[in-house]
Amino acid sequence: MKRLASFGLLLLLAACSSGTEEAPLQVQVLNNTAGLIRQRLGPPDAGLPPVTRAQLDALEGAALEVTVEARDAAAYLYVNAERDDGAAGQVTVWRTGDNSTIALRNGVLVATRGLGGDVLSSEVRVGGGPGPSGGGAHVMLIRGGDEEAQRMALVCELADLGTETIEIVERRYPTRHLQQTCSGSGGEAINDYWVDERAGLVRQSRQWAGPYLGYLRLRQLAP
């Protein structure tokens, strides 16, 4: 179990602004990744420019699609920072063009910034491989509407639902579907992870980010 309070320093750069995309995604894809992934988690009518597999294959870096279900809002994100913690796994901070960020440890959500009702930190059992490594305690520190931190303690069980082939933007991936069922003071939540064991990453997931953000759907578009 790892406490991730140190993310506060790592993610201080994240803030929410009202920036908009300066050029269509189809044009930006021919430039660099940071130029491409500029759409913020905006209102539902903003939409996301569609992408093709050929466009994604042209990227020099990784790309993540995140959807906040409760808001019907989505964004493309690029890698802002990475830290290898050895046996404890790897932390990746994904960033939108307006500096909202999502931090994942081995594909498991551990922090957000700039989204409102953010996950300040999270304790969850992870190991050397992608996704959660087992059941046990899952403690989240959530920023409330009054800006005070709210501690939510959950107890989770992890089930292996077997192999499943998923499709992400014209490409099919063989994955293993892991499901984490949690309950406690924060209520009940079910997190799903589709782990690409060959690539060593969580290819797709649906994860609960607390009572304010609700569920996030994440898909790694590239590589």
Side-chain angles (χ1 to χ4, degrees), residues 200-219:
L201 55 85
V202 175
R203 184 65 64 179
Q204 175 178 287
S205 66
R206 181 177 184 263
Q207 303 185 51
W208 191 65
Y212 303 102
L213 282 173
Y215 281 97
L216 305 183
R217 296 199 309 268
L218 301 92
R219 300 196 304 168

Side-chain angles (χ1 to χ4, degrees), residues 40-185:
R40 73 182 297 260
L41 287 162
D45 57 0
L48 276 181
V51 292
T52 65
R53 178 51 53 184
Q55 290 172 326
L56 292 171
D57 287 345
L59 290 176
E60 296 181 358
L64 183 74
E65 177 191 83
V66 177
T67 301
V68 181
E69 289 188 358
R71 302 175 187 172
D72 193 23
Y76 297 122
L77 294 82
Y78 62 94
V79 174
N80 180 69
E82 293 181 293
R83 187 181 77 227
D84 188 351
D85 287 343
Q90 178 165 303
V91 175
T92 304
V93 179
W94 298 85
R95 176 181 172 183
T96 66
D98 71 344
N99 293 339
S100 296
T101 60
I102 292 177
L104 305 175
R105 182 186 288 275
N106 289 15
V108 178
L109 180 70
V110 291
T112 70
R113 293 294 185 275
L115 303 184
D118 283 310
V119 179
L120 300 178
S121 66
S122 181
E123 298 176 16
V124 62
R125 182 176 297 174
V126 296
S133 61
H138 185 179
V139 180
M140 305 174 72
L141 196 62
I142 306 294
R143 185 182 298 281
D146 56 2
E147 298 302 310
E148 292 185 358
Q150 180 179 358
R151 185 178 184 273
M152 295 188 170
L154 303 171
V155 176
C156 303
E157 295 182 355
L158 186 67
D160 185 340
L161 302 186
T163 59
E164 187 174 333
T165 298
I166 63 173
E167 183 172 344
I168 300 177
V169 190
E170 306 168 35
R171 182 165 295 169
R172 293 169 65 83
Y173 300 95
T175 68
R176 181 165 295 281
H177 185 182
L178 303 180
Q179 187 172 83
Q180 189 182 46
T181 303
C182 305
S183 62
S185 64

